Amino acid sequence: MALVRNLRQCIGKLKYRSSITNVQRYRCSTSLNNDENAQKDTQTSLFPGFTDAKYVSKLQITLPEQYEKIPIYRVMNKDGIIEDPSQDPNLSQETVTKMFRDMILLDTMDKILYESQRQGRISFYMTNFGEEAAQIGGAAALSNDDLIYAQYREAGILVWRGFTISQFVNQCFGNAEDEGKGKQMPVHYGSKRLNFVTISSPLGTQTPQAAGAAYALKLQKDNKRCVVTYFGEGASSEGDVHAAFNFSATLGCPLILFCRNNGYAISTPSHEQYKGDGIASRAAGYGIAAIRVDGTDIFAVYNAMKAAKEYVLKNNRPIVFECLAYRIGHHSTSDDSSAYRNTEELNVWNTVEHPINKLKNYMINREWWNEEEEKQFVKSVRKQILSQVNQSEKILKPDYKEMFNDVYYEMPSHLKEQMAELEEHIRDHAHHYPLKNFKG
Amino acid sequence: MMLSKLPFLVKVKNVSSITFARMSSHFTFSPDTVGAQKFQGPREKLNMFQAINKALDQAMEKDKSAIFFGEDVAFGGVFRCSMNLQSKYGSDRVFNTPLCEQGIVGFGIGVANTGATAICEIQFADYIFPAFDQIVNEAAKCRYRSGNLFDAGSLTIRAPCGAVGHGALYHSQSPEGYFAHTPGLRVVVPRGPIQAKGLLLSCIKEKDPCIVLEPKTLYRAAVDEVPVDYFEYPLGKADVVRFGNDITLIGWGTQVHVLQEVAELAKKEHDVNCEVIDLVSILPWDKETVCNSVKKTGRVMIAHEAPKTCGFGAEVAATIQEECFLHLEAPVQRVTGYDTPFPHVFEPFYLPDKYRCLAAVNKLINF
């Protein structure tokens, strides 16, 4: 109960869910103990699987409809007005401007790299359109030491933490400047320095890993770091996400389970993904606290993330953070979303419900927004990114022998043999291979 | 899945010694002379589960970041490998997890990502498959895909494997072949207590994710003089456990003991001198020791409990053919489990026992 109260304080509007109210009512009757029926009800179960439940003599089917839906926490409305002043995070103009500019930078980079893929300059890309606030608002409430396990649509966190334009673009080109050494598809970013664990394509796999990392951090002396794992509502159907919820709860991990619920997993709408009250409602079943947030409202995400971090570190327990947004872009450059959704739906999210517009409205209200400055900023960012694309394209790919490195800590003899075999082959057949694009 | 797990333990415990002996009679344990020579110093008589327990104890003593976890490990484990560890190291470092193999390995990868040492147990190798994705797509590829920014090198997975007399489909499997196909992993199989301790300690220290497949039939049946102090058994190196000039026999785990008996019988009955090699490491494996032996003997038989098609014997055979073609006097023979699931009542007919192996030796000698 303390957990629920905590949360209530954090986000103001969370109502007790009916299941919790039942437990509370039952506890009252035990303490009063003056009613015969109540006394009957106080017979508690001895079942080891659930010692805290009461018996009833009438059959009850608990229907999912009986549970009240978890409300969506929002700080600012679509006009950028803060609805309840007590929820104003009171961020400085400097911080808000960085938030806004990072969103713009992400948006601009997405547009250019998306086009680059369309022109065949990079092989693949995934945009972040519509989810900019969910990423950057959360990142702003964390410390850069907090460890991130992302899915793939969280580049905004890296923008916030200072991953450079050249790092993004070099990764997408897989050239010799890419820290990942050209081994993974575009947008599979990683940064040791920024505590952002390298992304992999298999969905959900990062979530139990994040639980393990959070557990290991907890065992470190005076731990102040939490772990945040991001996953879409589609990925949360994977078995690994179940494992992450259950392990982090039973083993007491300071972990934020951040679900980006954007309504779609490629073409599959969320109503084909689950029948319950989204992802946040699953938390209670695992004995985990939960928050549901409007992910187009950067201040709501910021406040909630701040509260979530405080909660997980104070209690060494996880929290489920369901962040609602809308995936405005296609799933990826290999997808045409017009094949499965209509444009009217899209237009609302692309205009009045757009996270960048909302923050812009807030800034206009505060007279923090200067049209001319903004134009200049977008222009300069565009220029930087475009010039980086041209530059990254020209940088050679790593030496082809790099293919054999980092399979193991040290290269075993069989791999050395295979590398020598390839070298010999290339010597004799060099003209069949794109050697001029590679270092060495 | 779990329903079949605990009753199994009870079965092993309650079974009379006569029944137990009959059921595991497909091999006789040979003490480890190679391992005994490799490591000096004081020794203690231990069976394999006790040797593993000592290894875990010494690893956790030495490395304060090391944690050990899995299903039912807190009370000592269903095979007693983690006896007394929780009372010694506390429930933060030795603990039960929920019953979920993909969670166990995923959790272990995350621990390893932070640089801490993660040792986890999968209760039976037969139940490692739910974690296949985490092992193959994640643990094995973590260092590679990140350009060495992150790794899962401090992860070790232990899993009891192999025939046990009555384990049927899901308490008998030898899944080494599946993992041998995965670059980035190290896979080892001990043949007795000395190796079990030394290999486990090597794997825990090794900077690559490792899988230790422990033949469960040896947990109690294999007793040896195990070095008391901390020691490491080399990874990627095979052991020649018997020298001979006529034919090379290759196996790992329990099968090494079968092959040692076969070598004895071949000598006694046919005056054939077999060289017996324990591969020890499945990945990366010791091509050099194997090929040097085959070049000397010109004949080779590979034996393993796992099914034949795409079993690890196929890899060894293909490599021998590539490297030793001019030295071979007969086709490479494989004596393995059949390409069926591992059966219950038919186990005596399924296993590549000493009679099937001896028949293959004769066939090779007379080719």
Side-chain angles (χ1 to χ4, degrees), chain A residues 27 70 93 101 107 123 215 242 266 324 359 363 381 423:
Chain A
R27 285 204 176 130
I70 295 178
Q93 182 175 356
R101 291 193 162 191
D107 196 60
S123 62
Y215 187 89
H242 156 66
I266 308 187
L324 307 180
L359 187 60
M363 292 173 80
V381 162
E423 265 185 287

Side-chain angles (χ1 to χ4, degrees), chain B residues 147-165:
Chain B
N148 203 20
L149 293 179
F150 296 92
D151 66 81
S154 52
L155 169 68
T156 300
I157 303 167
R158 293 182 40 238
C161 73
V164 70

Side-chain angles (χ1 to χ4, degrees), chain B residues 52-61 68 73-76 80-91 93-95 119 158:
Chain B
I52 291 163
N53 182 254
K54 296 276 177 186
L56 290 170
D57 188 2
Q58 289 177 357
M60 299 196 71
E61 181 78 55
F68 179 62
V73 302
F75 88 113
R80 316 317 286 147
C81 293
S82 51
M83 290 273 281
N84 303 320
L85 292 179
Q86 193 181 56
S87 58
K88 189 164 175 190
Y89 296 104
S91 53
R93 293 185 60 194
V94 178
F95 54 89
I119 313 160
R158 293 182 40 238

Side-chain angles (χ1 to χ4, degrees), chain A residues 5 82 116 118 144 148 241 331 361 367 379 403 426:
Chain A
R5 248 175 261 128
I82 292 191
S116 301
R118 287 291 162 219
N144 281 9
I148 304 292
V241 176
H331 165 71
N361 289 340
E367 296 177 352
K379 217 173 134 184
M403 175 167 75
I426 299 269

Side-chain angles (χ1 to χ4, degrees), chain A residues 191-356:
Chain A
S191 172
K192 182 88 177 168
R193 190 175 68 83
L194 301 176
N195 292 301
F196 189 97
V197 180
T198 302
I199 290 165
S200 73
S201 307
L203 289 183
T205 48
Q206 74 282 9
T207 62
Q209 295 170 10
Y215 187 89
L217 293 185
K218 176 180 85 169
L219 295 191
Q220 293 178 3
K221 209 165 162 262
D222 302 323
N223 177 48
K224 288 187 176 59
R225 301 171 69 192
C226 72
V227 179
V228 191
T229 181
Y230 290 78
F231 49 96
E233 89 288 349
S236 60
S237 298
E238 293 282 0
D240 281 325
V241 176
H242 156 66
F245 277 42
N246 204 23
F247 276 57
S248 61
T250 56
L251 299 171
C253 305
L255 173 66
I256 299 170
L257 295 146
F258 192 109
C259 177
R260 299 179 292 97
N261 191 336
N262 62 18
Y264 288 92
I266 308 187
S267 72
T268 305
S270 50
H271 64 83
E272 290 175 19
Q273 201 66 245
Y274 54 76
K275 280 292 166 205
D277 176 25
I279 310 305
S281 71
R282 293 180 194 172
Y286 291 93
I288 307 181
I291 302 178
R292 175 173 285 158
V293 177
D294 177 352
T296 65
D297 172 355
I298 198 161
F299 296 139
V301 180
Y302 175 87
N303 282 350
M305 186 64 107
K306 222 175 147 194
K309 178 178 172 177
E310 207 179 293
Y311 171 81
V312 300
L313 281 178
K314 192 173 162 211
N315 301 288
N316 278 326
R317 295 180 73 171
I319 195 165
V320 172
F321 189 122
E322 185 174 19
C323 191
L324 307 180
Y326 186 87
R327 195 197 76 210
I328 292 171
H330 302 300
H331 165 71
S332 72
T333 48
S334 310
D335 171 52
D336 173 9
S337 63
S338 67
Y340 51 82
R341 63 180 185 186
N342 64 45
T343 44
E344 289 112 72
E345 172 185 303
L346 189 67
N347 285 341
V348 180
W349 295 100
N350 218 353
T351 53
V352 287
E353 292 292 344
H354 197 283
I356 295 180

Side-chain angles (χ1 to χ4, degrees), chain A residues 18 22 56-67:
Chain A
S18 54
N22 278 341
V56 292
S57 49
K58 283 212 171 60
L59 176 64
Q60 290 181 354
I61 296 177
T62 307
L63 299 171
E65 294 78 12
Q66 287 174 314
Y67 294 94

